[in-house]
Amino acid sequence: MNRKYMLLPIAFMIMVSGSCKKFIVEEPQTALTEEQVFKSLDNIEPLVIGLYTSWRNTKKDRGGFMFTLGTDEAQQGAFQVRTDERQASLDRYSGFLTASNTALAEQWNSRWPVISGAAKVIYAIGLNQETDETRKNIILGEASFIRAALTFEMAQYWGEVPLIDQAKFGEYGTRRQPLDLVYTTIIADLENAVNYLPVSQSDKRRATKGAAQALLGKVYLYAPESTGVRDYAKSRDTFKALIESGTYSLVSNYADLWDPSKPNTSESIYEFQFVNVYPDNNQTQWQMGSRSLAEIDQYAYFGGYDLMVPTQFCYKDASNGGLWEAGDLRKNESIRYDFTYKGKKPVLNPAFGGDELDPHVKKFEDPRTEGVMSFWNSGKDIFYLRYADILLCYAETLNETGSTAEAVNLVNTTVRRRAWNGTLPSDQTWNAGMSQQEFRAKIMDERMRELCFEGWRRMDLIRTGTLVDLVKQRNKWAKETGAIQEYHNRYPIPLQEIKQNDDINEADQNPGYSNQ
């Protein structure tokens, strides 16, 4: 393939949306060719920084949480469900969940420009003639990490997806590729990232060796069994190497993870960097907070518009059929139960949905906005990879490779011990003699307690084959319709992609979905 690309299209494609093919075949619009741009590492490196920003921006506003809707962990607030049928279908699994669903199409479209940009950098580094091999390899590792992370996300939610590889464009085009090839390609990218990324980076926007190791271990764990790529032993060994490196550790106080004055702690393997100033704020609280508070005061830091709220299972105590065990400190750090504001309790507006004062997501509240700016300006960092997640994943791999007692001990002495402020009560200590199957069930609940609303739940449900059963039981809107089926383990390929991409047609749609 011998196409020339321009600096303007490169920057433009990282910001706009459309079909994945659009970003591979963009033609020149300015006088500076892409060959000239990529001739210098001084030009390439800023493009990589731009890719980090564009990837981060897929997590802004409602975009960062659309995939968590429709799970047993979170659902839309009642007013949201009443006012937008297409968005509501993400929880209802109704007839509006089709190829023309714009809520999902926005997520599909926002990620392909970043994947394509990373692919361009990878290809260009291979052609670059400069002699600074260390710098070239770091840039290659970063672009490989970004491409792998986003391709992994797309494959988890949509199944077979295009592989954007400039060197193999003639072979792959923009067709959906077999899942085994997709996952082996992701792994190859991550192996490059592990080999080339540094252990630390002063610029926290940029990925490290540890981030690549963490994600590689997760890919081995999360890859569908049908691909032949899922490998518990490789996942275990990858996590073990990361843990034994000593680079990361749990913070002693779980609350510190949600304190905006304490970003990038020892527990953070990779987090998306935000601040309270546009365009680097994330608007997350706008979607998570209570409409009843927003009605009172736009400067109330826990106000918002109820896009994503916890399911009853996620906010109730275990004694009442829910998740939380007595004394677990994570409960009140993760979920808001009290809406008293300036000494007064809000009153429900009958024009709303009725659940505005039910428990809400708390992790993304940003107290820095209180009284001085709208909660729209929320700007706490958002975790992507956290050490506690890796410890729990590692425990899973131990259980799956015959070391259940060791897995139990790991969970007891790390994540659960911290949840009880460093002293785990005997009645909350897991029994080392439990069966492999019992551990599988308990670890899924433990993951929700530790990681709720951080973006991993849908993937966890898909990989364990429990999406349909648990969502039908625990998600209010899915239970109401009873419409969720096995084919909902994947999302529909957007209609725009089918219309604009000559390599994908109606017959390529995921089973069960209408191309309407």
Side-chain angles (χ1 to χ4, degrees):
M1 180 179 177
N2 184 24
R3 296 180 183 272
K4 291 186 177 181
Y5 300 82
M6 299 299 134
L7 181 57
L8 179 60
I10 292 171
F12 181 69
M13 76 181 183
I14 292 172
M15 294 185 288
V16 301
S17 62
S19 85
C20 68
K21 189 165 187 174
K22 176 179 180 180
F23 305 105
I24 303 300
V25 299
E26 192 77 45
E27 294 295 338
Q29 301 295 321
T30 71
L32 185 62
T33 69
E34 189 172 87
E35 289 175 323
Q36 292 171 312
V37 171
F38 283 129
K39 187 175 181 180
S40 169
L41 295 176
D42 288 339
N43 292 334
I44 298 174
E45 193 163 11
L47 292 176
V48 174
I49 299 299
L51 291 173
Y52 280 116
T53 300
S54 298
W55 178 26
R56 181 204 67 173
N57 288 348
T58 67
K59 307 298 181 182
K60 292 181 66 167
D61 202 20
R62 65 184 54 205
F65 302 96
M66 298 303 279
F67 302 140
T68 304
L69 300 176
T71 66
D72 65 336
E73 177 178 278
Q75 60 196 26
Q76 290 165 77
F79 188 81
Q80 295 275 355
V81 168
R82 283 170 40 187
T83 54
D84 187 341
E85 281 288 354
R86 293 194 183 279
Q87 183 178 282
S89 70
L90 298 180
D91 281 301
R92 291 185 177 276
Y93 294 92
S94 66
F96 286 91
L97 189 57
T98 66
S100 60
N101 188 288
T102 53
L104 285 176
E106 288 172 1
Q107 305 314 309
W108 171 278
N109 291 339
S110 69
R111 286 155 173 79
W112 288 113
V114 190
I115 294 171
S116 181
K120 287 174 177 288
V121 170
I122 292 167
Y123 184 69
I125 285 291
L127 301 177
N128 185 277
Q129 299 299 309
E130 291 180 76
T131 59
D132 189 343
E133 294 298 323
T134 299
R135 188 181 181 196
K136 286 167 65 174
N137 284 339
I138 290 174
I139 293 171
L140 173 61
E142 292 183 285
S144 297
F145 177 78
I146 292 169
R147 181 170 69 174
L150 282 158
T151 304
F152 171 60
E153 184 180 42
M154 300 295 285
Q156 285 281 297
Y157 297 136
W158 278 277
E160 295 87 352
V161 292
L163 286 173
I164 308 304
D165 186 330
Q166 297 292 106
K168 297 182 178 179
F169 184 73
E171 177 184 354
Y172 292 166
T174 52
R175 295 183 297 279
R176 300 181 73 184
Q177 297 297 324
L179 271 184
D180 57 345
L181 178 60
V182 171
Y183 278 92
T184 55
T185 302
I186 292 169
I187 287 169
D189 269 348
L190 289 174
E191 287 173 340
N192 274 338
V194 170
N195 288 334
Y196 296 136
L197 288 177
V199 172
S200 63
Q201 298 250 39
S202 58
D203 185 342
K204 297 303 180 182
R205 293 174 296 178
R206 305 178 75 165
T208 61
K209 177 184 178 74
Q213 286 177 298
L215 187 55
L216 178 59
K218 288 180 78 77
V219 170
Y220 279 125
L221 179 60
Y222 283 69
E225 289 185 307
S226 62
T227 63
V229 176
R230 182 178 295 186
D231 191 318
Y232 295 115
K234 287 184 178 179
S235 181
R236 176 199 63 205
D237 294 346
T238 304
F239 290 140
K240 184 178 181 180
L242 176 61
I243 292 166
E244 291 183 346
S245 74
T247 307
Y248 307 98
S249 62
L250 296 182
V251 298
S252 59
N253 184 0
Y254 188 77
D256 286 350
L257 295 169
W258 318 110
D259 184 342
S261 71
K262 299 176 181 178
N264 305 300
T265 67
S266 63
E267 190 164 335
S268 175
I269 299 176
Y270 189 83
E271 63 189 70
F272 297 104
Q273 308 291 305
F274 291 101
V275 294
N276 292 115
V277 180
Y278 180 82
D280 294 318
N281 60 321
N282 56 41
Q283 302 124 57
T284 300
Q285 186 58 27
W286 183 272
Q287 307 297 347
M288 301 295 158
S290 169
R291 191 177 298 263
S292 293
L293 268 296
E295 189 178 36
I296 294 172
D297 190 344
Q298 283 282 309
Y299 285 10
Y301 75 91
F302 53 97
Y305 292 100
D306 317 295
L307 169 68
M308 190 176 89
V309 298
T311 62
Q312 286 194 18
F313 176 79
C314 187
Y315 71 68
K316 284 186 173 181
D317 290 340
S319 60
N320 195 26
L323 178 70
W324 296 100
E325 299 161 313
D328 190 334
L329 300 177
R330 295 171 295 189
K331 174 184 173 182
N332 288 308
E333 296 300 332
S334 301
I335 299 174
R336 173 167 291 281
Y337 294 86
D338 181 10
F339 295 90
T340 302
Y341 184 63
K342 295 184 177 179
K344 297 181 180 180
K345 291 188 177 182
V347 177
L348 281 173
N349 186 331
F352 296 160
D355 59 359
E356 289 76 25
L357 296 178
D358 288 351
H360 275 55
V361 177
K362 185 179 179 181
K363 283 184 173 179
F364 305 101
E365 294 176 357
D366 191 343
R368 296 173 300 181
T369 66
E370 173 59 31
V372 296
M373 63 182 80
S374 167
F375 47 76
W376 184 86
N377 288 292
S378 61
K380 285 166 70 171
D381 288 357
I382 295 176
F383 286 113
Y384 177 54
L385 294 165
R386 184 154 70 82
Y387 188 58
D389 179 15
I390 300 312
L391 291 172
L392 293 174
C393 285
Y394 179 50
E396 275 195 73
T397 64
L398 290 171
N399 182 57
E400 295 298 333
T401 54
S403 299
T404 302
E406 185 180 352
V408 169
N409 182 64
L410 175 65
V411 176
N412 279 337
T413 58
T414 57
V415 173
R416 286 183 66 78
R417 177 182 289 172
R418 178 176 67 178
W420 274 266
N421 200 28
T423 303
L424 184 61
S426 58
D427 64 340
Q428 300 296 353
T429 301
W430 288 3
N431 184 351
M434 73 172 66
S435 68
Q436 184 184 63
Q437 190 58 42
E438 184 180 0
F439 185 92
R440 288 171 178 161
K442 291 178 79 69
I443 197 68
M444 284 300 108
D445 283 351
E446 189 64 20
R447 287 185 63 76
M448 190 188 290
R449 294 183 196 104
E450 179 68 31
L451 302 163
C452 55
F453 322 122
E454 294 181 48
W456 294 107
R457 190 60 181 180
R458 176 174 291 274
M459 290 188 190
D460 285 343
L461 295 173
I462 290 170
R463 69 182 172 88
T464 56
T466 56
L467 177 76
V468 174
D469 288 345
L470 293 183
V471 170
K472 190 182 295 183
Q473 293 173 34
R474 297 170 176 173
N475 182 296
K476 176 181 179 178
W477 311 117
K479 186 175 183 178
E480 187 178 89
T481 64
I484 187 172
Q485 299 181 51
E486 287 299 327
Y487 72 81
H488 288 121
N489 277 278
R490 293 184 179 183
Y491 288 134
I493 302 298
L495 184 61
Q496 179 186 21
E497 187 69 38
I498 293 171
K499 288 183 174 181
Q500 294 186 0
N501 186 343
D502 294 338
D503 289 338
I504 296 178
N505 57 48
E506 291 187 0
D508 294 317
Q509 181 59 269
N510 280 330
Y513 289 108
S514 165
N515 286 312
Q516 300 298 320

